[in-house]
Amino acid sequence: MKENIRKSFASDNWSGASPEVMKALFDINIGHHPAYGENDTLMETARKKFRDIFGNESLTFFVYNGTGANVLAVRQLLRPWEAVVAAHSAHLNEDEGGAPEALTGSKILSVETGNGKIKPEQIQAFLNSIGFQHHVQPRLISISQTTEMGTVYSIGEIRQLAEFAHSNNMLLHVDGARISNAAVALNCSFTEMICDTGVDVLSFGGTKNGLMFGEAVVFLNKNIASGFEYNRKQAMQLASKMRFIIAQFIAYLENDLWKRNATNANAMAQLLGAQLSRLPGFSLSRAVEANGVFAILPPEIIEKLQAEYFFHVWNEQKNEVRLMCSFDTTEQDIEGFVSAARRLAV
Ligand SMILES: Cc1ncc(COP(=O)(O)O)c(C=O)c1O
């Protein structure tokens, strides 16, 4: 059953779970634990780990998936006539099946960015609606770190957006499905990236970097988290066997597993980018910033290469593809992919 399962470069959630996470799942499977994480000492252990990173004023909740984390964060902070500003390319806007609008009633005001990153001046125009009863009221800015285009907001850029949000009575949400890759890319801690910049709420990802499933919603100030448990239950994101999510996060934050995994994924993306760009007829369409490689390939080889190592075409007109590296991508995987590309291109 096992061998012959070639790695893909389709997405970082095509990989499995880290051995440390599998061990944590196996260990926590033994015996009985309180359901829903209620009065479970394990929950307190996990929350303490999050408080050690995000401060004593923070409060963390665990959910099943990234869409759930994002939608619940928005639903917690907005009333239906309030709006969230996000990049057009944001997962929240393009890839959540309309769940944000359906579950929150709120409109997404999207911004064209080119590289996935929003700048404060692009939000400025929406502020004219404030106080005008015919328009939705912009209340939340949501950014993805890393972005869907593989780019990374600098600490200064996040701080600027937080200051802009707060000076306009808005809040800042970070979709951190790939926050570990971003922290490694910036060589900073989560505290520096999120707390010190003034972020209000974070979807803290795990699935894309070695968890089997599970994400966390971190409110940097517990005052804005009031009632979140009801919000989560109503939206069907309260896990009955919560211990399986919590145990994974404890393993993830212990011994810097998050960092080791993201370091490997980012390093493999650098290697892949460097090697591909040396092949005649291949070029990078963006600099490699974290664990995603965006490249232009000779059009005639794309389907044949996909048959050997699956990946997604990002922009058909430009023959641009997206290649994602994972915590378990190896140098041999890169060599195999690059030599297949070289062979097919002749
Ligand atoms: C930027 C971003 N946010 C959130 C998610 C989480 O999505 P899911 O609901 O599939 O866990 C993803 C997954 O593709 C993503 O790329």
Side-chain angles (χ1 to χ4, degrees):
M1 194 186 124
K2 49 183 178 34
E3 298 318 324
N4 195 24
I5 302 174
R6 197 168 256 186
K7 303 255 181 70
S8 91
F9 292 89
S11 189
D12 30 12
N13 57 3
W14 280 49
S15 56
S18 286
E20 293 88 336
V21 168
M22 293 305 291
K23 180 174 183 320
L25 283 166
F26 186 83
D27 291 348
I28 205 65
N29 189 44
I30 296 162
H32 282 203
H33 272 261
Y36 307 108
E38 279 163 3
N39 302 318
D40 190 347
T41 50
L42 204 64
M43 174 67 90
E44 184 40 33
T45 305
R47 281 186 154 166
K48 164 99 175 51
K49 284 194 177 297
F50 276 88
R51 279 198 305 276
D52 289 346
I53 299 169
F54 296 107
N56 284 335
E57 286 312 302
S58 70
L59 186 54
T60 299
F61 296 86
F62 300 98
V63 296
Y64 278 117
N65 60 19
T67 299
N70 288 342
V71 171
L72 291 186
V74 174
R75 191 160 106 134
Q76 179 70 16
L77 299 178
L78 299 195
R79 291 172 291 180
W81 58 91
E82 292 173 330
V84 50
V85 181
H88 186 81
S89 56
H91 196 266
L92 189 74
N93 186 47
E94 289 217 297
D95 292 306
E96 299 191 351
E101 294 89 338
L103 274 96
T104 68
S106 290
K107 190 176 169 78
I108 299 177
L109 300 170
S110 71
V111 171
E112 286 300 339
T113 61
N115 66 356
K117 296 207 269 182
I118 314 179
K119 294 191 179 77
E121 52 269 30
Q122 293 175 295
I123 306 166
Q124 191 69 43
F126 295 120
L127 302 183
N128 296 334
S129 297
I130 292 177
F132 187 54
Q133 65 176 337
H134 302 280
H135 287 184
V136 290
Q137 301 297 292
R139 174 75 176 128
L140 183 68
I141 301 168
S142 178
I143 61 172
S144 304
Q145 177 74 323
T146 68
T147 73
E148 293 72 7
M149 316 289 236
T151 49
V152 180
Y153 284 91
S154 70
I155 289 185
E157 287 169 329
I158 299 176
R159 184 177 296 117
Q160 234 192 346
L161 282 163
E163 282 170 5
F164 179 86
H166 298 154
S167 61
N168 290 290
N169 193 30
M170 297 173 82
L171 299 167
L172 180 63
H173 166 246
V174 172
D175 172 353
R178 297 190 177 90
I179 191 171
S180 300
N181 304 94
V184 166
L186 294 173
N187 191 23
C188 72
S189 65
F190 296 131
T191 312
E192 287 166 309
M193 193 202 301
I194 299 298
C195 306
D196 299 353
T197 53
V199 170
D200 297 289
V201 61
L202 165 69
S203 302
F204 184 95
T207 313
K208 291 197 159 39
N209 193 36
L211 259 60
M212 183 183 278
F213 58 88
E215 314 278 306
V217 183
V218 183
F219 292 93
L220 277 297
N221 178 341
K222 52 170 100 65
N223 293 336
I224 57 171
S226 166
F228 187 82
E229 48 276 70
Y230 310 108
N231 181 3
R232 176 179 59 182
K233 176 69 189 185
Q234 195 176 57
M236 298 164 282
Q237 284 276 328
L238 175 62
S240 165
K241 292 193 174 172
M242 180 64 90
R243 72 188 202 244
F244 290 107
I245 299 182
I246 307 172
Q248 291 182 73
F249 270 110
I250 293 174
Y252 190 63
L253 296 177
E254 240 156 42
N255 304 319
D256 282 349
L257 176 61
W258 66 269
K259 195 180 216 173
R260 277 182 279 132
N261 282 356
T263 300
N264 181 72
N266 289 11
M268 290 303 109
Q270 286 295 341
L271 183 65
L272 178 59
Q275 300 221 355
L276 273 187
S277 62
R278 280 191 218 116
L279 297 183
F282 292 65
S283 60
L284 297 187
S285 46
R286 302 171 187 282
V288 179
E289 294 188 29
N291 64 325
V293 177
F294 290 75
I296 311 285
L297 267 50
E300 65 282 2
I301 76 154
I302 292 180
E303 273 186 29
K304 290 181 208 148
L305 192 53
Q306 277 176 318
E308 295 195 30
Y309 290 84
F310 189 69
F311 55 85
H312 291 291
V313 173
W314 190 254
N315 182 325
E316 258 174 59
Q317 281 76 43
K318 293 190 193 160
N319 305 311
E320 184 186 34
V321 305
R322 185 191 76 161
L323 305 162
M324 297 303 296
C325 293
S326 300
F327 76 91
D328 66 346
T329 305
T330 63
E331 288 185 16
Q332 290 71 33
D333 299 326
I334 306 289
E335 272 165 34
F337 180 82
V338 173
S339 50
R342 191 183 295 113
R343 165 170 42 81
L344 291 169
V346 288

